[in-house]
Amino acid sequence: MVKKRPSSGQVRIISGQWRSRKLPIHDLEGLRPTTDRVRETLFNWVANDVRGSRVLDCFAGSGALSLESLSRYASYAKIFELQAQAAKQLVANLATLKCDNADVIKGDSLALLANKPSEGFDLVFIDPPFRKSLAEKSIALIDQHQWLNDDALIYVETESEIAQLNVPASWALLKEKKAGQVIYRLYQYSAEQVSEADINTDTGEAS
């Protein structure tokens, strides 16, 4: 029996230095690129925060979110992807764009997030495969291992039946929207909130 080869599609960069560029992606199981409409909304939300930011894409898939950020002049992107074919395509697409300020790391995102980074990130994308309970596990690891710079923005995209996410007290919900079977949220991290929580825990009093 001949093994069926995965078919290919495209992802389109919406704006920035690579505006309207179309890049190939593999049609792999669990690969679910964020739609153009949702991406447009997301990047309207973070329009003033992308340039110069350090980006972490936890479940890159097609790389639509990290590539869009780099097109809009993010300073650096660290890109996690489990599937070998998708990771290889991401490397190829970055080469096509002559982009040298991003690293693609093939591996299990939860295992990678269980390490403390040498430097924090300003913009984080958590868009995992649906119905695998990965979003909240990722959130906990990012908080525990200090992946965030102060005032970092965190985008979380999940299936719409997850009506509420458990997030740290230091994460404030800024935006929330539903589109079909997807619900997406934008949070902001505040180190000050962490400090206040520590004071309350130690003394039993508000700061």
Side-chain angles (χ1 to χ4, degrees):
M1 180 178 173
V2 178
K3 187 176 179 181
K4 185 179 178 182
R5 295 181 64 186
S7 59
S8 296
Q10 290 183 322
V11 63
R12 180 179 70 90
I13 295 177
I14 297 169
S15 189
Q17 60 183 320
W18 306 317
R19 181 176 182 173
S20 299
R21 288 289 295 270
K22 293 180 180 179
L23 298 164
I25 60 171
H26 285 295
D27 184 12
L28 301 171
E29 183 180 357
L31 194 67
R32 182 189 43 77
T34 299
T35 65
D36 284 7
R37 184 172 63 133
V38 171
R39 262 191 299 144
E40 284 177 1
T41 301
L42 162 61
F43 282 93
N44 284 338
W45 289 349
V46 300
N48 296 324
D49 301 282
V50 179
R51 183 182 287 266
S53 66
R54 285 174 50 82
V55 172
L56 174 65
D57 195 347
C58 296
F59 299 88
S62 69
L65 299 178
S66 45
L67 290 172
E68 189 72 40
S69 300
L70 290 163
S71 180
R72 298 175 188 232
Y73 303 99
S75 66
Y76 172 75
K78 185 179 286 289
I79 302 169
F80 294 163
E81 175 50 43
L82 177 62
Q83 298 193 68
Q85 284 179 296
K88 186 177 179 181
Q89 187 63 66
L90 277 164
V91 171
N93 287 343
L94 288 165
T96 297
L97 296 168
K98 297 181 171 57
C99 175
D100 60 2
N101 56 330
D103 291 313
V104 177
I105 300 172
K106 181 193 169 298
D108 178 86
S109 296
L110 297 184
L112 293 167
L113 290 171
N115 299 284
K116 185 175 180 178
S118 57
E119 192 173 347
F121 292 85
D122 308 299
L123 181 58
V124 176
F125 301 120
I126 305 172
D127 180 15
F130 283 178
R131 299 175 181 88
K132 294 188 177 181
S133 303
L134 292 170
E136 289 188 347
K137 291 176 183 176
S138 303
I139 289 167
L141 288 167
I142 286 168
D143 182 56
Q144 179 182 351
H145 296 285
Q146 301 175 343
W147 283 84
L148 304 175
N149 289 330
D150 196 19
D151 296 324
L153 295 171
I154 311 102
Y155 172 79
V156 186
E157 183 175 322
T158 64
E159 57 271 38
S160 58
E161 55 259 39
I162 299 181
Q164 188 170 351
L165 280 172
N166 291 319
V167 302
S170 54
W171 292 25
L173 180 63
L174 301 182
K175 303 280 187 180
E176 183 177 55
K177 197 166 184 178
K178 184 178 177 183
Q181 300 303 307
V182 170
I183 187 164
Y184 50 108
R185 302 171 171 98
L186 185 68
Y187 297 88
Q188 187 164 38
Y189 165 75
S190 171
E192 186 176 333
Q193 285 292 106
V194 176
S195 299
E196 289 180 1
D198 288 344
I199 291 170
N200 293 342
T201 301
D202 292 342
T203 67
E205 298 177 359
S207 59

